[in-house]
Amino acid sequence: MGQTIELTASDGATISAYRADPDGAPKGGVVVVQEIFGVNDHIRSVADGYAADGYLAVAPALFDRVRGGVELGYDAEGIDIGRKIAFEDLTSDQVMADISAAADCASEGGKVGIVGYCWGGSMCYVASARLADRIAAASGYYGGQIMPHLDERPQAPLLLHFGTEDHGIPLENVHAIAERWDHIGVHIYDGADHGFNCDARASFNPDAAALARQRTLDHFAEHLST
């Protein structure tokens, strides 16, 4: 369904992206923001899923500034490599520039939403604060790096999704986010662990994934409709 394209950011950097187009006229655009494992089969399948639901989906390869073609395994080595690139080698300004370029591409489909997972979930929060002129709605899954950005006020309508069994994101942090910004929607899924949306991981929770996805689709339908 999809194809690999090239994006150029405002600072001149070029990165690749996976683009999936819907059948017929799009309902809007969706930027799909990767986990720390790169734009892999799972992220491409997520983009394909949003295209099947009628959106022009673009998944930017946000690690391309450091290393092209990153697709890591869901193991200790993959986690170590991905965390280094995400948290040491890239700046949030660079990531926002690349997400902005992806949003420009996705805007061919209309108003743009953003959805992200793990590291990408944290970047959704930041994008909702910094890129509200390009992003009409955001939905972030189990973003563990939101707390360092908590003073950045979300501007675009934002949903956040967390699991009760995600030991990497204390529930006290989740509650702190909800209390800090009471205009966003924070959803907590009983029995769900980190990565509950990813069917390639042992922590996949189909019930939580289906509910979070439906909430995201409803969110996009509300805010991306023309």
Side-chain angles (χ1 to χ4, degrees):
M1 181 181 291
Q3 60 180 314
T4 299
I5 62 171
E6 186 175 272
L7 303 174
T8 302
S10 58
D11 62 0
T14 58
I15 65 168
S16 63
Y18 179 77
R19 172 175 172 153
D21 287 85
D23 293 330
K27 300 175 182 178
V30 173
V31 176
V32 179
V33 188
Q34 65 181 65
E35 302 172 303
I36 60 170
F37 306 102
V39 177
N40 56 14
D41 284 343
H42 171 63
I43 294 299
R44 288 189 288 268
S45 74
V46 170
D48 288 342
Y50 279 101
D53 279 306
Y55 294 95
L56 193 171
V58 179
L62 297 173
F63 285 179
D64 272 10
R65 285 177 181 259
V66 178
R67 194 173 99 189
V70 174
E71 297 190 36
L72 302 171
Y74 298 100
D75 54 15
E77 181 182 11
I79 290 170
D80 287 345
I81 294 171
R83 286 182 63 86
K84 182 181 185 303
I85 296 174
F87 303 131
E88 298 179 24
D89 298 337
L90 289 172
T91 68
S92 62
D93 287 342
Q94 290 173 322
V95 174
M96 289 302 108
D98 293 342
I99 289 176
S100 182
D104 287 345
C105 178
S107 70
E108 294 175 22
K111 293 181 180 178
V112 177
I114 182 172
V115 61
Y117 307 88
C118 181
W119 175 67
S122 300
M123 293 302 99
C124 275
Y125 179 95
V126 178
S128 76
R130 299 186 191 179
L131 301 179
D133 58 332
R134 290 176 169 81
I135 303 297
S139 183
Y141 287 62
Y142 31 85
Q145 296 297 314
I146 292 175
M147 293 301 288
H149 300 281
L150 192 57
D151 287 339
E152 297 191 53
R153 187 183 194 279
Q155 304 289 333
L158 173 65
L159 297 183
L160 295 174
H161 312 274
F162 299 96
T164 59
E165 304 308 304
D166 188 341
H167 301 295
I169 305 176
L171 284 176
E172 64 187 51
N173 288 0
V174 176
H175 295 310
I177 295 166
E179 291 169 5
R180 181 69 177 87
W181 303 115
D182 61 6
H183 66 290
I184 68 176
V186 177
H187 299 284
I188 301 173
Y189 299 81
D190 287 338
D193 200 345
H194 193 80
F196 70 75
N197 182 74
C198 180
D199 58 6
R201 301 174 72 168
S203 56
F204 176 56
N205 185 314
D207 292 336
L211 179 54
R213 190 172 190 278
Q214 188 57 56
R215 284 171 168 160
T216 300
L217 286 171
D218 292 344
H219 189 56
F220 288 166
E222 176 183 359
H223 296 287
L224 305 189
S225 61
T226 56

